[in-house]
């Protein structure tokens, strides 16, 4: 059974960078798509972006896709040695306060088939 | 960007009722439409994928239909465990509807 677990600071100051990690168990981080999604009362569920890691040793084994509305502030990366992937969101404001979920993305259906439990991140000074 | 509009935003129903939730896309998405159920404090779970495919483990009282821009999620006989919020989501740019809360009458 695929399981995902988000971790990271629950409080981030405005203008700083939000950093979260998603640990994956029950599946290899390679050869699958992995997404970040957030949920806030104001904007509902919002897809942030995804990453695919081929597992090859080429110079660029990862492919990323980002929500255009967040693209300028988002970086998603993968660490195959730890079987986890990460999210960085820069220059945060109060509007970035949300529950952040990681999920496995069944790309052929654009389906988020396995989700982590979610972690609340509050942006406040 | 493809916008997803669900209706109604909320509904009240009784155990045993037939419930229908509608989702409309702002442009055609063929059958690339998924439905999720979310209970308070929990992550969403898949109910239907590809517009009409029942996710493994989901009761057969759930069904999905539609193609193009108009889609429907139907619960044929509402059970206590079905009271939750339901979201549609399109697969192209992965946007979600605003949700439909199913409450006990």
């Amino acid at each position: 059974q695929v399981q995902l677990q988000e971790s990271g600071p629950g409080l981030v100051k405005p203008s700083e960078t939000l950093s979260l990690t998603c640990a994956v168990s029950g599946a290899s981080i390679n050869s699958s798509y992995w997404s970040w999604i957030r949920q806030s009362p104001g904007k509902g569920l919002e897809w942030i972006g995804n990453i695919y890691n081929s597992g090859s040793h080429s110079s660029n084994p990862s492919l990323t896709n980002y929500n255009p509305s967040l693209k300028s502030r988002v970086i998603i990366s993968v660490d195959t040695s730890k079987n986890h992937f990460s999210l960085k969101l820069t220059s945060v404001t109060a509007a970035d306060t949300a529950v952040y979920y990681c999920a496995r993305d069944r790309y052929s259906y654009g389906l988020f088939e396995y989700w982590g439990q979610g972690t609340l991140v509050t942006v406040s000074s | 960007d493809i916008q997803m509009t669900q209706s109604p935003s909320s509904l009240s129903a009784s155990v045993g009722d037939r419930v229908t939730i509608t989702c409309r896309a702002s442009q055609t998405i063929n059958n690339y439409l998924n439905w999720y159920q979310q209970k308070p404090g929990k992550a969403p779970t898949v109910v239907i994928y590809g517009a009409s495919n029942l996710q493994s483990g989901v009761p057969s009282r759930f069904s999905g239909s539609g193609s193009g821009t108009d889609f429907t999620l139907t619960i044929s006989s509402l059970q206590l465990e079905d009271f939750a919020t339901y979201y549609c989501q399109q697969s192209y740019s992965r946007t979600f509807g605003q949700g439909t809360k199913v409450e006990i009458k």
Side-chain angles (χ1 to χ4, degrees):
Chain A
Q1 176 75 342
V2 180
Q3 292 184 310
L4 300 94
Q5 178 69 58
E6 305 90 351
S7 61
L11 181 64
V12 181
K13 290 182 168 55
S15 80
E16 296 190 344
T17 296
L18 180 160
S19 296
L20 296 173
T21 295
C22 181
V24 177
S25 59
S28 171
I29 201 83
N30 293 325
S31 303
S32 286
Y33 283 83
W34 305 93
S35 274
W36 286 99
I37 300 146
R38 68 182 183 179
Q39 185 172 31
S40 61
K43 295 198 74 175
L45 286 160
E46 181 178 35
W47 176 70
I48 299 169
N50 65 15
I51 188 165
Y52 174 84
N53 194 68
S54 65
S56 77
H57 296 288
S58 69
S59 59
N60 190 22
S62 298
L63 174 68
T64 53
N65 299 287
Y66 298 129
N67 185 325
S69 68
L70 297 168
K71 187 174 184 177
S72 63
R73 299 195 291 131
V74 175
I75 298 174
I76 297 175
S77 60
V78 66
D79 186 333
T80 56
S81 67
K82 296 181 180 177
N83 215 49
H84 76 204
F85 63 107
S86 299
L87 169 70
K88 290 190 187 301
L89 181 65
T90 63
S91 305
V92 297
T93 69
D96 295 309
T97 294
V99 175
Y100 285 75
Y101 295 99
C102 57
R104 190 167 86 171
D105 184 331
R106 196 198 303 184
Y107 192 78
S108 56
Y109 283 99
L111 174 70
F112 307 115
E113 58 181 345
Y114 297 102
W115 296 62
Q117 65 186 26
T119 187
L120 174 63
V121 179
T122 301
V123 178
S124 174
S125 54
Chain B
D1 202 14
I2 302 174
Q3 306 300 318
M4 307 302 294
T5 304
Q6 286 182 237
S7 61
S9 298
S10 65
L11 64 90
S12 295
S14 301
V15 172
D17 284 354
R18 181 181 183 88
V19 168
T20 298
I21 299 168
T22 297
C23 180
R24 173 164 288 177
S26 60
Q27 62 190 74
T28 184
I29 56 172
N30 297 305
N31 66 340
Y32 287 99
L33 190 284
N34 307 311
W35 290 97
Y36 300 84
Q37 177 192 74
Q38 186 177 32
K39 296 183 177 178
K42 300 292 187 182
T45 59
V46 179
V47 179
I48 297 286
Y49 65 95
S52 61
N53 299 292
L54 190 67
Q55 176 72 346
S56 175
V58 174
S60 59
R61 61 181 178 273
F62 290 88
S63 64
S65 64
S67 185
T69 60
D70 294 310
F71 302 86
T72 299
L73 173 69
T74 300
I75 310 172
S76 61
S77 178
L78 197 64
Q79 301 301 302
L80 268 177
E81 60 267 30
D82 302 335
F83 291 95
T85 300
Y86 293 85
Y87 295 92
C88 63
Q89 174 247 325
Q90 57 86 8
S91 306
Y92 287 102
S93 53
R94 289 167 166 71
T95 52
F96 291 83
Q98 81 278 16
T100 297
K101 187 173 184 179
V102 177
E103 298 175 300
I104 301 173
K105 184 183 284 184

